[in-house]
Amino acid sequence: MINRNPSIANIKAGYLFPEIARRRREFEAAHPNGARIISLGVGDTTEPILPHINAGLVNGAKALGKAETYSGYQDEGLLSLRARISEVFYKNAFAPDEVFISDGAKCDIGRLQLLFGAGVTVAAQDPSYPVYVDGSALAGAAGAWQGGGYEGIAYLPCVAENDYFPDLSRIPENALVYFCSPNNPTGAVASKRRLSELIAVARKKGCIIIFDAAYAEFIRDPSLPKTIFEIEGAETCAIEVNSFSKPAGFTGVRLGWTVVPKALKYAGGESVNADWARVTSTIFNGASNIAQAGALAALEADGLKEIRELTDFYLENARLIRETLQKLGVSSVGGDNSPYIWAHFPNRDSWDVFAEILETRRVITTPGSGFGPAGQSFIRFSAFGHRADVEEACARLSALDVV
Ligand code: PL4
């Protein structure tokens, strides 16, 4: 028989979010008559897609039903959408063929590693979205799971002591660096000065940064950068992934984009952009045309207003959660320019706190240790939820016995 890909044996036994779902099911089965469980766990949108954007999706579907507007494969995406993304988010700094439409940020985070192969050294913020390190392990770019983290990955701790921004001297030479701002899970947003330092280090050490800006539309402080390309020189050392999932409610619609600047070159001078076009055209057949019609509507003036309205809604949820934690005396960060609140339970195991909140408050959260070793003793609260549920969860959490 054919052998199993050895990289699969390397990855952590269970992916974080299905593991949380499994523990929830187990708890529900053991407590069938208890109060309803409320989730502040997975970062999944809950509110309906707003009317202008929704009409874009509906019109996209209708267009497929008429001979004169029918469309088939769009490969790297509708040119009009690629151009509009460049205009709205990057002040037209990129040509449409530097913007690649995807079926979501996560999917491209996984595919991008094909550009660098199994031999690349990976560095990632710790804690971070688990896909960066699990995906690296799958791609063969990490060794075995060691309990707290993967062998061979340079973890860059982001903790209270460094204001959730890593010590850049820990970045290895010629590394692929995953960086997320606003950060999942800490909610921290890197300032322009700090991102400038990151770019300077990446250029000096020959690194490429994969910058995940999936939560950029939650930034309210105008001094904070919404894209790595606000930083001079980033186009020579960074790729940016982004998504309509959270700002437009497209987690189930599936649409994102990746910017691969033409100025970005490998050590040998080859074009990363040309390779990405080759990779995506080979193993990806483009995002849904209906989703792209929705995205075009989202980027019209009325759609952008709806994005603001929807992100404001979730930020108000975040404020309620932050306020509750503050009254409880639990120290937390995030939630002001991001939909995640990162709460500290000193000297406690994250999974124990998760279980305690589930058992005593019937609220699902996400254990911080699931995001990396530096997440131990933290709990992530997600602000994605119906308002009534978030209010109810806050009322329940107010009676939490914090030890
Ligand atoms: C659960 C930093 C959530 N099943 O929807 P996409 O693919 O455009 O974007 C996914 C994504 C990309 N980048 C960051 C993210 O935080 C996310 C989504 N993360 C979370 O709770 O951390 C949803 C997780 C989903 C998943 O595995 O992505």
Side-chain angles (χ1 to χ4, degrees), residues 15 17 43 104-106 129 184 212 215 243 245-246 254 380:
Y15 179 52
F17 296 102
K106 180 183 185 179
Y129 182 40
N184 174 18
D212 187 340
Y215 300 100
S243 173
S245 280
K246 307 301 157 74
R254 310 302 308 145
R380 187 194 78 174

Side-chain angles (χ1 to χ4, degrees), residues 160 164 342-345 348 350 366-369 374-380:
Y164 299 96
W342 189 235
H344 195 199
F345 294 80
R348 301 284 314 275
S350 297
T366 306
S369 55
Q376 185 55 279
S377 299
F378 283 85
I379 287 288
R380 187 194 78 174

Side-chain angles (χ1 to χ4, degrees), residues 15-34:
Y15 179 52
L16 176 63
F17 296 102
E19 176 58 21
I20 291 169
R22 189 190 67 73
R23 291 189 191 213
R24 176 184 178 152
R25 281 194 305 275
E26 208 174 77
F27 180 81
E28 281 173 324
H31 303 84
N33 302 317

Side-chain angles (χ1 to χ4, degrees), residues 155-334:
Y155 286 89
L156 309 173
C158 296
V159 290
E161 290 69 33
N162 58 18
D163 202 16
Y164 299 96
F165 186 79
D167 172 359
L168 300 176
S169 70
R170 296 174 77 129
I171 297 178
E173 300 274 329
N174 307 319
L176 183 64
V177 183
Y178 285 98
F179 200 96
C180 178
S181 180
N183 186 265
N184 174 18
T186 67
V189 189
S191 66
K192 273 192 186 142
R193 179 178 63 76
R194 283 179 157 164
L195 286 188
S196 303
E197 288 164 9
L198 174 67
I199 293 299
V201 167
R203 293 178 69 170
K204 187 162 158 241
K205 294 191 175 180
C207 299
I208 288 184
I209 298 162
I210 296 186
F211 189 82
D212 187 340
Y215 300 100
E217 290 311 305
F218 290 86
I219 293 178
R220 291 294 176 269
D221 177 343
S223 73
L224 294 171
K226 285 183 156 186
T227 156
I228 191 71
F229 297 118
E230 281 184 44
I231 312 300
E232 210 185 310
E235 68 287 353
T236 64
C237 64
I239 290 170
E240 180 162 296
V241 291
N242 209 322
S243 173
F244 287 90
S245 280
K246 307 301 157 74
F250 274 24
T251 52
V253 174
R254 310 302 308 145
L255 201 75
W257 72 90
T258 294
V259 177
V260 186
K262 288 183 187 154
L264 182 65
K265 305 282 186 253
Y266 300 101
E270 308 92 334
S271 163
V272 180
N273 174 282
D275 275 6
W276 185 237
R278 179 74 173 90
V279 167
T280 52
S281 60
T282 305
I283 60 158
F284 178 56
N285 251 344
S288 145
N289 292 354
I290 300 172
Q292 293 189 73
L296 274 168
L299 299 182
E300 287 168 359
D302 286 347
L304 291 168
K305 264 192 230 145
E306 290 182 347
I307 285 179
R308 180 77 186 198
E309 195 181 317
L310 190 64
T311 48
D312 275 346
F313 176 87
Y314 292 124
L315 284 168
E316 173 59 13
N317 284 350
R319 194 191 63 74
L320 294 173
I321 298 166
R322 263 198 345 257
E323 199 178 78
T324 303
L325 292 169
Q326 199 179 2
K327 283 187 191 148
L328 268 176
V330 173
S331 98
S332 73
V333 290

